Amino acid sequence: MEPTEDHIYVIIFATLFLAGMMSTFVISMVFIHRQRQAQNRQKMDQIKSEHEKTLLNIENEIQQETLTHIGRELHDNIGQLLSLAKLNFGSIKPEKIAEGRDILGQAIQEVRGLSKQLNLDWVESININEFIEQQLTRIKTTGYCETSLEAEFDLIELPKDQKLVLIRVIQESLNNAIKHASPDKILIKLHENGKGKQIFIKDDGRGFDSTQQASGSGMFNLKKRMETIGGEFNLTSAVGKGTEITLTLPN
């Protein structure tokens, strides 16, 4: 039985209809794909912008912290050294004059050391182990509390953005312990487990109910900063049992 003219029209119409549906489907998929690409690009640009903004804020905070430290050192340390040198130079005794020269030389070395901290070039050269050691030594020499560092590895080869974030988070964690915890000892431990490399900061101070502080902006900021470099920030604390902070580094 040969197809009639009506059958041929039906076949042609069905073919055109299916072709139109396929074309519409393909165009729709292309449109959706391009829309998702645009959304992904927008999201990536937003993440990049937030990352850069976070790093800029951290750089400004570190510079401000450095300037504050330099101001204290100029007033308390170098100012005292110069006063001692002046007293010795006022003497007619040769040994006092020689002692004054030694003190003046020490003051010059101190000024040179401080001048290196006026920009962030030191971030490039320092490793996190050295930075932690410096921070703990500074706390211990004030007589505030005992400190110790246990390191299973050296954090030397890290990108600058990771160093900046870790430096600031460690600084803030130590500052919080000093301001609020009144500890007898602060321990920082660098160790590695199934999650990767971690920095463990523990104090034996008064502690607090961490469940009530979960929404605090300070801890939230530290958490967000670790997330900007692909790391994690975790805190546990209880009243009378001290505080433990774990910084998990990005793999």
Side-chain angles (χ1 to χ4, degrees), residues 77-78 81-82 85 102-112:
N77 184 24
I78 296 174
L81 289 173
L82 292 176
D102 291 339
I103 294 172
L104 185 60
Q106 184 181 348
I108 291 171
Q109 291 298 320
E110 293 284 344
V111 171
R112 286 175 177 170

Side-chain angles (χ1 to χ4, degrees), residues 119-174:
N119 55 50
L120 293 179
D121 290 344
W122 59 272
V123 174
E124 298 283 359
S125 58
I126 198 171
N127 65 53
I128 296 300
N129 297 60
E130 291 176 354
F131 170 76
I132 293 173
E133 189 68 52
Q134 289 175 1
Q135 296 297 303
L136 293 180
T137 299
R138 186 181 299 176
I139 293 171
K140 187 174 182 178
T141 53
T142 63
Y144 183 80
C145 70
E146 290 296 314
T147 63
S148 64
L149 171 63
E150 300 175 9
E152 298 176 1
F153 50 81
D154 286 327
L155 287 172
I156 301 174
E157 299 297 330
L158 286 179
K160 184 179 178 181
D161 61 339
Q162 291 186 19
K163 282 187 180 182
L164 283 170
V165 170
L166 288 174
I167 284 171
R168 195 59 187 145
V169 171
I170 292 168
Q171 278 182 331
E172 281 300 297
S173 298
L174 292 174

Side-chain angles (χ1 to χ4, degrees), residues 12-152:
I12 292 173
F13 177 78
T15 302
L16 291 175
F17 177 77
L18 289 174
M21 290 290 291
M22 289 298 296
S23 298
T24 302
F25 176 76
V26 170
I27 292 171
S28 299
M29 291 302 295
V30 170
F31 175 77
I32 292 172
H33 177 68
R34 288 182 177 176
Q35 191 176 38
R36 285 179 179 174
Q37 281 186 323
Q39 290 174 346
N40 288 336
R41 281 195 299 269
Q42 185 178 9
K43 187 176 181 180
M44 290 301 296
D45 290 341
Q46 183 179 357
I47 292 173
K48 183 179 179 182
S49 176
E50 290 177 356
H51 179 71
E52 292 174 349
K53 183 179 179 181
T54 297
L55 293 181
L56 181 61
N57 288 338
I58 290 173
E59 286 184 351
N60 290 335
E61 289 173 6
I62 291 176
Q63 286 175 336
Q64 185 61 44
E65 183 92 10
T66 300
L67 289 173
T68 302
H69 168 64
I70 288 174
R72 285 197 299 263
E73 287 296 303
L74 286 172
H75 180 270
D76 299 337
N77 184 24
I78 296 174
Q80 185 181 21
L81 289 173
L82 292 176
S83 296
L84 287 173
K86 181 180 178 181
L87 288 174
N88 281 279
F89 285 137
S91 174
I92 60 173
K93 296 180 180 180
E95 63 272 19
K96 287 293 183 180
I97 295 175
E99 185 178 346
R101 290 197 188 99
D102 291 339
I103 294 172
L104 185 60
Q106 184 181 348
I108 291 171
Q109 291 298 320
E110 293 284 344
V111 171
R112 286 175 177 170
L114 291 176
S115 67
K116 294 178 181 179
Q117 300 180 40
L118 289 175
N119 55 50
L120 293 179
D121 290 344
W122 59 272
V123 174
E124 298 283 359
S125 58
I126 198 171
N127 65 53
I128 296 300
N129 297 60
E130 291 176 354
F131 170 76
I132 293 173
E133 189 68 52
Q134 289 175 1
Q135 296 297 303
L136 293 180
T137 299
R138 186 181 299 176
I139 293 171
K140 187 174 182 178
T141 53
T142 63
Y144 183 80
C145 70
E146 290 296 314
T147 63
S148 64
L149 171 63
E150 300 175 9
E152 298 176 1

Side-chain angles (χ1 to χ4, degrees), residues 173-187:
S173 298
L174 292 174
N175 287 340
N176 286 335
I178 292 170
K179 290 178 182 178
H180 308 298
S182 299
D184 293 322
K185 185 174 182 179
I186 297 175
L187 165 68

